[in-house]
Amino acid sequence: MPPVVVADRLSKTFKVTKKLPGFAGTLKTIFRPEKIAVEAVKQVSFEIHEGEFVGFLGPNGAGKTTTLKMLTGILYRSGGRAELVGFDPWLRKPAMQRQIALVMGNKMQLWWDLPAWDGFQVLKEIYQVPDGQFEPRIEELVSILGLQDKLRVPVRQLSLGERMKCELAAALLHSPRVLFLDEPTLGLDLVSQKRIREFLLHQNRAHGTTILLTSHYMQDVVELCKRVIVIDHGSLIYEGKLDELSQRFSPTRRLRLTFNQPPPDGFAQYGTVVEAAEGSAILEVPRSETTRIAARVLQELPIEDIAIEEPDIEEAIRKLFAGERVQP
């Protein structure tokens, strides 16, 4: 089966005006502006297949939102090509638009002064959703998201979490095949984040919705995505399984030690002490030295139990962005 999202050497360069300091610089900028090229996305290539839930990661300014806007046809490319559900996204054909949706955590598609229900009715007409499909669909979305008492309230009077739930319902009203999510849990409390993650997972599993998610909350990615795509400074630096990311890019592993009696002083010589308590400790050791150090610890310390662990995913990604890359 062909992929539903294709990015092939996709690039985007913006022309921006260079602002010089001072009054003279301002005059020069007005009358003789100097343009500089900023490469936001640099030949990014990947494919996403039907039913996948993929995390799209990167630090601020990495090019994530720009890539999403190109894939959905909002921004025109500077180079390369893209394909979305079999269409050229920049042609913006209605047949394509009825199969996709984009939700941005910092922007809204519902009208601020109208109740969400009125917005749903407008979107129903825009996407030409039949009555027989609209009614059961909206009933399902409202029930799962717990919006029964919020539909008649003006959007401006809803909390941030309630507004995001309404935005998700609006985006999924026409049952899109592909859903692009740009920071959907931005600014939400932990309970709202959890509720939205559960909802998205249900949509992916129950309806086979293909989802591409960007988020700075690693809990979103860990709970939802098996595969991730990582970009930094506009370039793709990793594409693969989430559980392999820390193994590939972290230079260390952790030894979790449990002692059967108080250990002698100086056990920090075996590695970096991450945590130490009565009867236990966590050491961070070089990945290449893990086996040797574990054997030494077992021989020289009063060990009751030892576990070798991969570092936290968030820590691995931080090191990845910092350039601490270790190949397998």
Side-chain angles (χ1 to χ4, degrees), residues 4 8 38 41 45 54 65 117 129 143 174 184 208 263 296:
V4 292
D8 181 16
V38 177
V41 178
S45 298
V54 180
T65 300
W117 179 255
V129 182
S143 175
H174 59 289
R296 183 183 169 197

Side-chain angles (χ1 to χ4, degrees), residues 189-208:
D189 60 77
L190 295 177
V191 174
S192 297
Q193 289 178 28
K194 183 68 174 177
R195 187 71 178 266
I196 286 177
R197 285 196 293 266
E198 291 173 348
F199 169 74
L200 293 174
L201 195 59
H202 173 268
Q203 291 301 307
N204 174 252
R205 291 177 175 176
H207 299 280

Side-chain angles (χ1 to χ4, degrees), residues 2-306:
V4 292
V5 179
V6 176
D8 181 16
R9 294 165 295 165
L10 199 58
S11 300
K12 180 64 180 179
T13 301
F14 293 99
K15 296 289 186 179
V16 299
T17 301
K18 183 178 180 180
K19 173 65 173 69
L20 300 176
F23 180 72
T26 300
L27 291 178
K28 184 176 180 180
T29 300
I30 294 173
F31 295 105
R32 296 176 58 189
E34 180 183 351
K35 299 287 185 178
I36 58 175
V38 177
E39 291 185 286
V41 178
K42 307 171 186 176
Q43 296 193 348
V44 169
S45 298
F46 59 82
E47 294 182 351
I48 299 175
H49 291 266
E50 192 93 44
E52 281 196 283
F53 203 134
V54 180
F56 193 37
L57 310 180
N60 290 328
K64 303 185 300 297
T65 300
T66 300
T67 302
L68 293 190
K69 288 182 176 180
M70 285 194 289
L71 289 173
T72 52
I74 297 174
L75 283 178
Y76 200 77
R77 68 191 184 279
S78 299
R81 72 176 189 92
E83 189 175 296
L84 182 57
V85 292
F87 293 89
D88 182 332
W90 297 287
L91 297 180
R92 303 287 292 172
K93 291 188 175 181
M96 181 201 78
Q97 293 176 313
R98 284 194 290 268
Q99 299 183 67
I100 69 167
L102 169 64
V103 176
M104 305 184 74
N106 58 352
K107 294 186 179 179
M108 299 181 61
Q109 64 175 325
L110 293 173
W111 289 265
W112 191 247
D113 294 308
L114 296 179
W117 179 255
D118 292 358
F120 295 161
Q121 293 289 338
V122 173
L123 292 169
K124 171 181 177 291
E125 299 302 322
I126 290 175
Y127 287 104
Q128 301 176 1
V129 182
D131 290 338
Q133 177 183 334
F134 174 79
E135 293 175 3
R137 182 61 168 160
I138 197 66
E139 182 178 345
E140 176 195 9
L141 294 170
V142 168
S143 175
I144 296 175
L145 289 168
L147 293 172
Q148 293 88 340
D149 300 330
K150 309 299 179 183
L151 296 182
R152 307 294 178 177
V153 180
V155 171
R156 66 164 58 248
Q157 296 179 14
L158 299 175
S159 69
L160 181 59
E162 291 165 348
R163 290 201 299 269
M164 180 49 63
K165 291 175 185 178
C166 289
E167 288 290 329
L168 288 171
L172 292 164
L173 195 60
H174 59 289
S175 301
R177 290 174 62 191
V178 182
L179 174 63
F180 296 92
L181 297 171
D182 190 17
E183 301 285 355
T185 57
L186 182 66
L188 302 187
D189 60 77
L190 295 177
V191 174
S192 297
Q193 289 178 28
K194 183 68 174 177
R195 187 71 178 266
I196 286 177
R197 285 196 293 266
E198 291 173 348
F199 169 74
L200 293 174
L201 195 59
H202 173 268
Q203 291 301 307
N204 174 252
R205 291 177 175 176
H207 299 280
T209 307
T210 304
I211 302 177
L212 182 61
L213 166 74
T214 80
S215 179
H216 285 110
Y217 298 119
M218 284 309 302
Q219 195 62 32
D220 292 348
V221 179
V222 170
E223 290 190 21
L224 297 173
C225 307
K226 292 183 179 179
R227 184 163 75 95
V228 294
I229 298 166
V230 184
I231 66 171
D232 190 16
H233 293 91
S235 299
L236 190 147
I237 57 177
Y238 177 77
E239 179 184 1
K241 294 181 179 179
L242 179 63
D243 57 9
E244 293 177 358
L245 192 148
S246 62
Q247 299 176 28
R248 182 172 179 182
F249 290 104
S250 176
T252 62
R253 300 174 86 179
R254 290 185 174 184
L255 301 182
R256 186 178 294 272
L257 311 176
T258 302
F259 305 108
N260 53 30
Q261 62 185 45
D265 294 335
F267 71 89
Q269 62 181 299
Y270 302 100
T272 301
V273 180
V274 177
E275 181 181 312
E278 185 177 353
S280 66
I282 298 176
L283 300 180
E284 193 169 71
V285 300
R287 179 175 292 273
S288 60
E289 297 289 309
T290 303
T291 302
R292 184 185 65 80
I293 294 176
R296 183 183 169 197
V297 164
L298 284 169
Q299 183 178 7
E300 300 177 4
L301 295 178
I303 298 295
E304 179 177 302
D305 188 30
I306 182 171

